[in-house]
Amino acid sequence: MNIVSYTNTSFQPIPLRKTLQISLFLGGLLVALATHPYARNIALVGLAVWSLLSTKQAIQALSLLMLIKFLNPAVYPIEGSASILGWIVIATAGARIFVDNLQVTWKIQLVLLWLFIFSLVIFLESVFFSYHRVVSIFKVLSFTYAAVAVLLGFKATARQAVNWTPWFLGIWITVTVLSIPTFFLPEIGFFRDEMGFQGILDHPQTFAVFLSPMVAWFMGRILFSLSKGDYWLYAMLPLAWASLFLTRGRTALVAVISGFMAVLLIGLIRRSEWRKLFRRAMFHPILLILVLACLAIALFQPPAILEAVSAFIFKDVPDVVVAESFEQSRGFLVVESMNNFAKNHWFGIGFGVSQSNIFPFEPIIEPLTGLPLSAPTEKPMLPVALLEETGIMGTTIFTLFLFALMKLVISKRDLILSLVFFTCLFVNIGEMIFFSAGGMGLYIWLLMAWASYSRFERYSEA
């Protein structure tokens, strides 16, 4: 007879020493990567080998892959074929996870079943209806491979009682702290467009997406489950918020706010234990200080706060209203995608492809294998992109998969990681990266999978 016990780690103290060790290791790695143009390629080869050791190392390799691929070119020049090496890391890490899971008898979960059904549907759509069949099929297979791998990987490490908090916290802290000096070096920190802060990452939007779940985690931890010895988080929170604001990533800010609204709604409807935490957070000193500070600024310096908010929302473009700002950034893409959907409403134009007249679709094909190593598309938001690419059929199946995934996350009763999950999900309202297995979508999936299997599962024979 198997006795299964679960331990929720939200209220356990953060292993500070382990977190600092990880941060120092990652800091050393990032410094070493800046020393030579081929250093990143060598690191990617090392990650491919490292990922073969175990499921835990495979997940670590995938999370470091995400970091290494999106470093600031002003500091981290690169030579050689990093794209194909990145796919090799994904392939080796996934293979290791799948091999490890062959040794365990699993009862297939509903979320995996719906994921397989969705993948099968969009695969068939890609074969019969995509106008760029090779790209669509490759993107379907790579997304399914990566998504299944990370879900199974975190399920396996949860069973092994692996605590991932120090690892991801170490990544967040390292990138944020190393980005501080670049603020005073605009040729690095504002390298991309001289407006949005990108730190040591390759784009302000990339840095904003990176920061949004981090900000959500820090806020949630401090408001809902701060433990003794975790007061150092108060030093990181303003740094995280300031960095997010400086990126001018409106989508990331909306994602954090929407994540809080989602868990608040779920708590009011389904989780009585969350409601107790909400009531306690209402009287938290940091929340009261923030409210008083906002009131003081609004009363004594209203022009300054209005100017700052306006600059953030409209990105310093004068004489623009909200509707015009949305039209300039995403609105025209929504119209274009919905026009394509109207013409292909049942099965879409093809998974992961684009028929945009504004942003040409130009896949980068690897000459030796003929595989599309990169085929970026500019899509406005997840629901619209789904309708355009997969039609009513694919969108319906995806909705069932997403509900199954959300139900799995909520069932874990971990408020903090549920907040991280919904923040990651809402990032796709403005940055459609959900299916980007070779891009920032991998980062989002790692965090969502962590939230999906957040509780430790300890098994003992009796």
Side-chain angles (χ1 to χ4, degrees):
M1 177 181 178
N2 287 331
I3 298 177
V4 186
S5 63
Y6 300 96
T7 304
N8 191 320
T9 58
S10 289
F11 296 95
Q12 296 179 358
I14 298 170
L16 179 57
R17 182 176 179 180
K18 188 173 183 180
T19 301
L20 291 176
Q21 288 174 343
I22 292 171
S23 297
L24 289 173
F25 163 74
L26 293 176
L29 174 64
L30 290 175
V31 170
L33 291 177
T35 59
H36 195 277
Y38 282 96
R40 280 205 271 183
N41 290 322
I42 295 171
L44 291 175
V45 173
L47 288 183
V49 176
W50 177 256
S51 68
L52 294 172
L53 298 180
S54 71
T55 293
K56 179 182 177 181
Q57 276 77 14
I59 294 175
Q60 290 174 337
L62 289 174
S63 53
L64 290 180
L65 166 66
M66 171 278 308
L67 181 59
I68 291 172
K69 284 189 66 176
F70 296 99
L71 291 172
N72 192 327
V75 180
Y76 299 92
I78 187 168
E79 298 289 344
S81 183
S83 294
I84 194 168
L85 288 174
W87 287 115
I88 291 173
V89 174
I90 293 174
T92 55
R96 177 67 211 206
I97 291 170
F98 294 142
V99 168
D100 283 352
N101 277 275
L102 289 176
Q103 304 171 12
V104 180
T105 302
W106 300 113
K107 179 187 289 186
I108 189 166
Q109 288 186 300
L110 188 62
V111 64
L112 289 174
L113 179 62
W114 281 117
L115 177 57
F116 284 128
I117 293 174
F118 171 69
S119 299
L120 178 61
V121 169
I122 58 176
F123 177 83
L124 294 175
E125 288 182 342
S126 299
V127 170
F128 293 108
F129 301 103
S130 176
Y131 81 95
H132 208 309
R133 189 175 294 112
V134 174
V135 170
S136 291
I137 291 175
F138 181 78
K139 285 195 173 185
V140 171
L141 295 178
S142 61
F143 160 71
T144 306
Y145 186 88
V148 173
V150 296
L151 286 172
L152 288 178
F154 277 97
K155 181 174 177 60
T157 55
R159 187 174 183 270
Q160 298 163 6
V162 176
N163 184 3
W164 285 105
T165 300
W167 176 257
F168 286 108
L169 196 56
I171 293 176
W172 288 335
I173 291 173
T174 302
V175 173
T176 306
V177 170
L178 288 182
S179 294
I180 295 174
T182 69
F183 176 78
F184 304 99
L185 301 169
E187 66 275 14
I188 297 176
F190 298 84
F191 173 76
R192 182 75 182 193
D193 58 14
E194 298 181 354
M195 293 177 61
F197 182 52
Q198 64 188 82
I200 63 169
L201 300 186
D202 68 345
H203 196 286
Q205 292 295 341
T206 303
F207 198 28
V209 170
F210 175 87
L211 288 168
S212 55
M214 169 187 169
V215 169
W217 189 92
F218 277 119
M219 283 290 292
R221 182 80 188 198
I222 289 175
L223 290 176
F224 303 127
S225 60
L226 193 67
S227 302
K228 290 183 179 179
D230 293 344
Y231 295 106
W232 59 273
L233 295 177
Y234 283 105
M236 287 299 304
L237 183 61
L239 179 61
W241 269 115
S243 300
L244 181 60
F245 189 81
L246 288 169
T247 65
R248 304 194 176 200
R250 296 172 294 186
T251 296
L253 179 61
V254 170
V256 174
I257 296 172
S258 300
F260 271 94
M261 292 176 64
V263 296
L264 178 61
L265 182 62
I266 293 168
L268 294 175
I269 296 173
R270 294 196 57 181
R271 289 281 172 246
S272 59
E273 68 275 19
W274 290 8
R275 292 196 289 271
K276 297 176 182 178
L277 297 176
F278 295 151
R279 286 194 294 268
R280 190 172 65 184
M282 290 176 61
F283 302 99
H284 196 286
I286 193 169
L287 191 60
L288 295 176
I289 291 172
L290 286 173
V291 171
L292 291 174
C294 291
L295 288 174
I297 294 173
L299 288 172
F300 299 107
Q301 293 289 336
I305 190 170
L306 287 175
E307 182 180 346
V309 172
S310 176
F312 182 85
I313 294 175
F314 304 121
K315 298 192 175 182
D316 289 333
V317 179
D319 302 323
V320 175
V321 298
V322 174
E324 291 175 348
S325 178
F326 175 75
E327 177 64 25
Q328 291 177 9
S329 63
R330 284 292 183 266
F332 67 95
L333 292 173
V334 172
V335 172
E336 191 174 54
S337 293
M338 293 310 293
N339 287 338
N340 289 331
F341 166 66
K343 300 173 185 176
N344 308 271
H345 55 277
W346 282 111
F347 303 108
I349 65 173
F351 185 74
V353 300
S354 173
Q355 290 183 338
S356 174
N357 296 320
I358 303 168
F359 298 101
F361 182 60
E362 299 175 348
I364 300 173
I365 306 298
E366 203 281 320
L368 183 62
T369 63
L371 296 176
L373 296 181
S374 177
T377 60
E378 188 75 22
K379 296 299 174 74
M381 57 186 67
L382 180 59
V384 173
L386 268 171
L387 288 170
E388 179 191 15
E389 295 180 8
T390 69
I392 295 173
M393 183 67 70
T395 303
T396 301
I397 303 299
F398 175 82
T399 302
L400 295 172
F401 157 67
L402 187 59
F403 277 130
L405 184 61
M406 290 190 294
K407 183 178 179 181
L408 176 63
V409 172
I410 296 169
S411 70
K412 302 302 177 185
R413 303 184 182 183
D414 190 319
L415 173 58
I416 312 304
L417 286 179
S418 294
L419 173 59
V420 170
F421 173 88
F422 283 103
T423 300
C424 291
L425 184 61
F426 284 118
V427 162
N428 289 274
I429 296 300
E431 298 290 332
M432 219 297 282
I433 58 176
F434 194 90
F435 302 110
S436 178
M440 284 300 289
L442 178 60
Y443 171 65
I444 293 298
W445 265 97
L446 286 164
L447 295 178
M448 291 195 302
W450 176 30
S452 300
Y453 298 99
S454 56
R455 289 187 298 186
F456 288 175
E457 301 179 20
R458 301 182 183 275
Y459 289 75
S460 61
E461 296 292 334

